[in-house]
Every structure is written in C-alpha cells, then in structure tokens.
Amino acid sequence: MNPALPLVKQIMEQAINEHATDLHFIPSPNETKIHFRIQGTRKFHSVISKSQYELLLTFFKFKAGMDIGESRKPQDGSIANLFPALGKYTLRLSTLPMLASESLAIRILPQEDFLPLDELFLFPYQLNELKKSAIAQSGLVLITGPAGSGKSTTLYALIRFLMKEHSYQAITLEDPVERQIDDVIQVQINEQAGITYQAGLKAALRHDPDILMIGELRDEATAHFALQSSLTGHLVFSTFHARDAVGTIYRLLDMGIKQQDLFQSLVAVISIKLIPIRQKGIIRRAAILEFLSGEDLNKAIYSRFDFHQQDRNSFKHLRRKAYAYGFTAEGFPKEAAENT
C-alpha cells in the first residue's frame, strides 16, 4: 500500500464531512499547513511534516497524471472518484512552484446530489428572471462574479433545467469538465492536443447545437467567437470574472469587444454573490443576483461609466433586503447589513 494513502484518505474524509470546497497546502521549510475553505471562508485545519507533505504531493500528482519530477512550473490535473466510499467527487488540482517546494490547491467537485435551479437563489423573483433569460431563441447569456461565487454551479443547474424542459442538442466546452450532465455532449479542452476553445467552438457549431456552453470567456479571442456564435442563431451560455453586472460590460469593452457587437448579441448579464443566510435554523449560503437585460443592458453598453445599476437591482439593496426579511445568518452582523 502506498504510504501516503492513509493520510490522504483521512484528510479527504474530513474535508468532505465538513463540506469543504477547497483544500490549500502551504509548505514551509519544516512543515506544511493545511487549510479548508468552508462556506466561502478559509479555515486552518492542521499541520503535517515536510516528509508527509512530500509523500502526499507525489501521490496526488501521480494520480492526477501530472509530472512528478517537475517542480519548477505550475501544473494542473484532475482525479475522479479517488475514494468511492466517500461519494462521487472529482478533484481539480493545481500546483505552484515555491523557493524550495510547491504549494497545492485542490477543488472538490461533487458529482451527485446537485441542487436544482429552484434551490440556489434567495429571492424567487430573481429565479424567474433567470429562467426568462434562459429561454431566448439566440444570443449570449453571461453569468459573472468573482472566484467561488457559484458561477459554475448556476450554469450547470441552468443547463440541467433546460434539458428537462426541452429536447435540445446541447454542447459544452470546458476546461476542465467539472460535472457530468446527462444527454449533453461535454468536450474537455486540451490545448496540447489541439482542442482549444476556438477549435472546439468551430467543431461544435458543425454539430447542429441548440445550446452552447463555454466554461469561461478567458480571453478576447474566445469572447469574440462566443459573440459571433450567438449571432448565428445559437443560444450561448458562459461565465466571466467580474465584480458586478456593470463591471462585466466595462471589462468586455476593455477587451476590445465593440459596443455594437454587445448590443446585437448580449441577452443578459447576471452577476452572482453568495451570502450567508439562516433558514429553519440552518446556516447556508444562497445567491443574490444583479441583472442587466433589456433597456438597462443597452444603457450600460452605450453609457460606459455614466451608467449605474438601479438601486433596487444592486447587491447593496439586495443585502439590505435579505437582512430586513430575517434571512441574514451569523457572520453578517447588523451593522454590516446596514452599511452595505
């Protein structure tokens, strides 16, 4: 038996039992600290020795198909169903070189017990707005927010909802494929094999899709191609890193996307934030949404920095509303609610 296996299993079992979404391994000369991210908060978990971490790191890199002998370059990899008894999970791994070692970050991606779309959002009227945007005949729907805000979770739930409601030919392009969806063609981006987002999009368009899902608009070329795809009669969904809905428009324009292209293709920009709430005595996180669609979206595209999100649709207003309704959980105190 691999000497690292008991330690790896112990850490993973604790992480899953505590509903951690991420594990961070931060090495120093003599020890390595382990942190879990739980409910969006990074929490210290434990310390292991230098020798234990070296065994653990080698084990993970080998299982993920990464180069065990390479420590000078960042690497990415994934592992599916490492411990089946703990449930179905995919682990997404990333290493970064340090002076005398490598740090390791692991994202835990559950492959079962998905929350349906109807259970993700705090306010039901926002769920209805999202569904209206998702049934457009063509165009680009962007789900935006910072890392860890629930963009991918929302996107997967939305695709599953649409597939139940309609007989769509749906194709996804992802790096990596985080969760499997029944009856959907999911393509794993592999640049070393020549499967880039651009190449994948060209091939996907020849596959007669009704829906295209692009995991993330990471660069100007992918953004342009997604926009052009949406103009050819396809409904395109993707995620994008931005602080809020209006900030999404600014970032796209700064990437060189023309205002006219945004006007012709964008159906909606939906920005997400997760806030802690209390429901039936249980503390969990729920999503609140800033929407830009219709006339407000057009104003944001053409007004540039002169446009401001209407107060009733802003995160500031929504957080106050959540507090006023008694949803706000511990960790979001009264004074914070009143000042956001």
Side-chain angles (χ1 to χ4, degrees):
M1 183 177 67
N2 190 303
L5 193 60
L7 177 61
V8 171
K9 186 174 182 180
Q10 177 188 348
I11 293 171
M12 291 306 307
E13 187 171 10
Q14 291 170 341
I16 289 169
N17 287 340
E18 295 182 33
H19 304 289
T21 58
D22 299 85
L23 286 71
H24 299 162
F25 298 84
I26 312 298
S28 58
N30 299 313
E31 63 183 23
T32 294
K33 293 182 179 179
I34 305 173
H35 294 80
F36 291 175
R37 188 176 297 282
I38 303 170
Q39 295 287 335
T41 301
R42 186 172 181 262
K43 299 179 178 180
F44 172 76
H45 175 261
S46 59
V47 175
I48 58 176
S49 68
K50 178 181 178 180
S51 60
Q52 285 178 309
Y53 179 61
E54 289 174 349
L55 285 172
L56 180 147
L57 181 62
T58 300
F59 174 87
F60 273 122
K61 290 174 72 173
F62 174 76
K63 286 289 187 178
M66 299 158 73
D67 186 347
I68 296 173
E70 178 59 73
S71 61
R72 298 167 298 174
K73 297 178 181 179
Q75 294 191 69
D76 297 305
S78 63
I79 307 173
N81 301 323
L82 181 58
F83 298 109
L86 299 179
K88 291 184 179 180
Y89 294 89
T90 296
L91 306 180
R92 189 173 71 194
L93 286 74
S94 175
T95 62
L96 278 176
M98 299 174 64
L99 288 176
S101 185
E102 296 172 273
S103 67
L104 172 65
I106 300 176
R107 171 68 57 88
I108 303 175
L109 302 167
Q111 299 300 308
E112 55 189 2
D113 298 328
F114 300 129
L115 282 175
L117 192 65
D118 292 9
E119 295 182 20
L120 295 178
F121 308 107
L122 182 57
F123 300 116
Y125 77 91
Q126 294 202 311
L127 169 64
N128 293 332
E129 288 187 63
L130 177 60
K131 288 180 177 179
K132 288 178 184 177
S133 299
I135 60 174
Q137 293 299 309
S138 63
L140 175 63
V141 176
L142 282 180
I143 299 175
T144 75
S149 61
K151 299 185 298 297
S152 295
T153 298
T154 300
L155 193 53
Y156 278 108
L158 187 58
I159 296 298
R160 286 196 301 273
F161 163 77
L162 290 171
M163 294 302 291
K164 287 181 179 179
E165 297 291 317
H166 306 277
S167 179
Y168 282 145
Q169 169 84 321
I171 302 175
T172 76
L173 302 169
E174 307 173 64
D175 184 18
V177 173
E178 294 186 0
R179 299 174 183 175
Q180 294 184 2
I181 312 174
D182 292 340
D183 301 320
V184 173
I185 300 170
Q186 294 180 269
V187 179
Q188 171 79 47
I189 297 301
N190 185 342
E191 295 190 357
Q192 292 182 343
I195 308 175
T196 62
Y197 273 113
Q198 289 76 26
L201 276 168
K202 288 179 181 179
L205 289 175
R206 292 192 291 268
H207 226 66
D208 190 30
D210 300 297
I211 294 176
L212 282 170
M213 184 190 107
I214 303 169
E216 182 183 347
L217 299 188
R218 293 185 175 178
D219 53 41
E220 184 178 335
T222 307
H224 275 291
F225 210 101
L227 288 165
Q228 292 303 314
S229 301
S230 70
L231 292 173
T232 60
H234 300 90
L235 183 57
V236 181
F237 295 94
S238 190
T239 68
F240 192 67
H241 285 280
R243 188 177 66 177
D244 52 29
V246 177
T248 300
I249 303 300
Y250 299 159
R251 282 208 60 207
L252 289 169
L253 292 171
D254 288 340
M255 288 173 69
I257 307 297
K258 295 179 181 179
Q259 289 176 316
Q260 185 62 24
D261 288 340
L262 292 180
F263 176 77
Q264 293 291 337
S265 62
L266 268 183
V267 172
V269 174
I270 302 156
S271 188
I272 298 180
K273 277 191 178 180
L274 295 176
I275 63 171
I277 65 168
R278 184 189 298 107
Q279 283 185 328
K280 300 179 181 179
I282 299 174
I283 295 175
R284 67 178 186 89
R285 292 194 298 170
I288 55 175
L289 308 175
E290 276 190 357
F291 271 90
L292 275 179
S293 59
E295 190 60 30
D296 283 345
L297 177 59
N298 295 337
K299 287 179 180 178
I301 292 171
Y302 284 107
S303 299
R304 188 74 173 176
F305 293 103
D306 293 330
F307 180 85
H308 300 282
Q309 186 79 44
Q310 293 184 22
D311 185 63
R312 61 183 173 82
N313 294 321
S314 69
F315 285 133
K316 180 178 179 180
H317 172 77
L318 293 168
R319 292 183 69 138
R320 285 176 174 168
K321 186 174 180 179
Y323 177 74
Y325 284 6
F327 288 124
T328 301
E330 295 173 6
F332 187 56
K334 179 178 178 180
E335 57 268 27
E338 291 174 344
N339 292 325
T340 56

